[in-house]
Amino acid sequence: MLDFVFTVDDPVAWHSKNLKKNWNHYSFLKVLGPKIITTVQNNYGAGVYYNPLIMCDGRLIKYGVISTSILIEDLLNWNNLYIAGRLQKPVKIVAMNENVALRSALDKNLKSAVTTAFLMLPESFSEEDLFIEIAGLSYSGDFRMVVGEDKTKVLNIVKPNIAHFRELYGSILQENPQVVYKIQQGRLEIDKSPEGQFTQLMTLPKTLQQQINHVMDPPGKNRDVEETLLQVAHDPDCGEVVRQGLSAIVRPSSMKQSTKGIFTAGMKKTVVYSSLKLHKMWKGWLRKTS
C-alpha cells in the first residue's frame, strides 16, 4: 500500500473540499462535517487523520492529513514522533511550498535522529548499524511491533535503501564535529566520553529530554532537566535510558493513533487493514523460521 501524507495550513478548508470530491473516502465522521473531522485530527492521537484502503489509479493507497503547525512542532520537539518518525526515513517529497520554518524543522528532525542514535550505539559502528538505529527510533515501544507489524520491518526498510539513507544523512554526518565518518569503509566513530554524551543529550528534542528526566527523576525530587542529563551522560546505561525515553513518547502516541483509526477509518476498513497487517507479520515470521 502506498502511503501519502498531506501537510496543510488549513485542515478545515482542506477537508471541506475533499469531502465534496471524495465523500466515500471517509468513515461515518463525514456526516459531522470538516470542523469535527479537524478537531479529531488535531486533538486526538498523533495529530494526523488517515483515510486507508483507497483505490487510486488501480493502486491501493492510504493518505494522512496533518496541520503544518502540528507537524513542525513534532519535527522540532518529538511530541508524538509519529509523522516525524516517518520523515527520518527516505521518503519522496512530491511537492512542497516554500516554507522556511518547515524546511528548517525537517532538517532539525534528521539531526536529532542522528544524535539520538549516536547515544544508543557503541564507539565504533557501521553505516548500516546507524541507519537501523535511526529507522527504529519511531518503533521504540510501539505496541504494533508486538501485534500487527512484521518484526523484521526495520531491517526491511534499511537493507534495500542504504544508498537512500546515505543520501539523506551523508552531509549531516560529514558536518558533525563529534563523529569521524570513514565514507570509503562505511564506518563511523563517535565521542562516547561523558562530556561528549552530555553535549549530545543537551541537543535532543525537548519532549525526549523531559521523558528522560521523568525516567531518571525519583518521585518528589523534581530535579532540573540539565542536572538529570548530566547524570545520564555519566551513566554506563545511557543508551538504555534514552531508549526508555523514546518508548515513553512512542507507546502512548501509537496506541492513541491506532484507537483513533477505528473511528477515522470505520470498523469495516479497520478489520480489513488489521487483517492485512497480521498477514504481513505472519509471512515475515514464516520467512524467519523457514
Side-chain angles (χ1 to χ4, degrees):
M1 194 183 319
L2 206 55
D3 190 346
F4 290 90
V5 175
F6 298 109
T7 305
V8 300
D9 295 334
D10 187 345
V12 175
W14 194 93
H15 284 296
S16 181
K17 291 178 181 177
N18 198 44
L19 281 164
K20 291 175 184 175
K21 191 174 182 180
N22 298 301
W23 177 262
N24 62 324
H25 288 187
Y26 290 81
S27 70
F28 68 93
L29 292 177
K30 60 192 170 190
V31 300
L32 302 177
K35 287 185 179 179
I36 297 299
I37 288 172
T38 299
T39 298
V40 172
Q41 173 184 309
N42 290 342
N43 298 335
Y44 300 94
V48 59
Y49 189 103
Y50 262 102
N51 283 328
L53 300 173
I54 307 297
M55 191 58 70
C56 180
D57 293 335
R59 179 76 186 265
L60 200 60
I61 72 165
K62 63 175 178 176
Y63 64 89
V65 185
I66 187 168
S67 161
T68 305
S69 59
I70 288 176
L71 176 58
I72 289 173
E73 277 289 308
D74 197 29
L75 291 167
L76 293 176
N77 299 320
W78 290 8
N79 298 338
N80 299 297
L81 198 52
Y82 197 82
I83 299 301
R86 293 180 181 221
L87 291 170
Q88 291 163 358
K89 306 165 187 71
V91 297
K92 171 77 171 172
I93 297 179
V94 180
M96 184 172 174
N97 294 335
E98 194 53 49
N99 186 322
V100 176
L102 180 55
R103 286 188 181 277
S104 175
L106 286 165
D107 187 52
K108 177 68 165 63
N109 181 47
L110 297 180
K111 289 177 179 176
S112 296
V114 168
T115 302
T116 306
F118 281 173
L119 287 161
M120 298 189 290
L121 285 163
E123 188 173 358
S124 177
F125 49 89
S126 69
E127 280 181 322
E128 186 174 298
D129 293 334
L130 173 64
F131 300 148
I132 287 171
E133 202 67 66
I134 288 173
L137 294 177
S138 60
Y139 297 118
S140 298
D142 190 336
F143 82 100
R144 294 172 302 172
M145 297 304 288
V146 179
V147 178
E149 290 286 4
D150 183 354
K151 302 301 180 295
T152 59
K153 181 169 186 171
V154 174
L155 287 175
N156 293 342
I157 290 170
V158 174
K159 284 189 175 293
N161 293 296
I162 291 288
H164 292 114
F165 272 95
R166 193 178 292 132
E167 182 181 348
L168 188 61
Y169 288 101
S171 61
I172 292 173
L173 294 171
Q174 290 175 57
E175 293 166 11
N176 190 316
Q178 289 193 304
V179 63
V180 177
Y181 184 20
K182 301 174 182 177
I183 301 174
Q184 298 301 323
Q185 297 101 311
R187 301 287 304 178
L188 301 96
E189 295 175 3
I190 53 173
D191 180 5
K192 296 298 286 186
S193 70
E195 295 76 18
Q197 293 195 140
F198 180 62
T199 300
Q200 292 164 3
L201 287 161
M202 287 297 291
T203 64
L204 292 178
K206 183 176 69 176
T207 304
L208 180 53
Q209 289 181 337
Q210 291 170 343
Q211 292 296 346
I212 290 170
N213 187 48
H214 184 70
V215 168
M216 295 295 291
D217 197 15
K221 196 164 184 183
N222 297 320
R223 284 189 304 183
D224 180 71
V225 172
E226 187 172 338
E227 183 186 346
T228 299
L229 296 181
L230 183 59
Q231 179 193 343
V232 174
H234 286 80
D235 193 326
D237 295 323
C238 173
E240 182 55 36
V241 173
V242 172
R243 202 177 298 279
Q244 288 178 39
L246 282 169
S247 296
I249 296 172
V250 174
R251 187 180 298 110
S253 170
S254 63
M255 290 186 74
K256 289 174 186 175
Q257 184 64 32
S258 294
T259 303
K260 172 178 165 181
I262 297 171
F263 297 94
T264 60
M267 188 56 71
K268 183 179 177 182
K269 281 188 177 181
T270 298
V271 171
V272 173
Y273 188 68
S274 300
S275 299
L276 289 171
K277 286 282 188 182
L278 289 168
H279 179 65
K280 193 175 180 181
M281 182 183 74
W282 178 249
K283 282 173 67 177
W285 183 80
L286 286 175
R287 283 197 304 270
K288 192 174 179 181
T289 55
S290 61

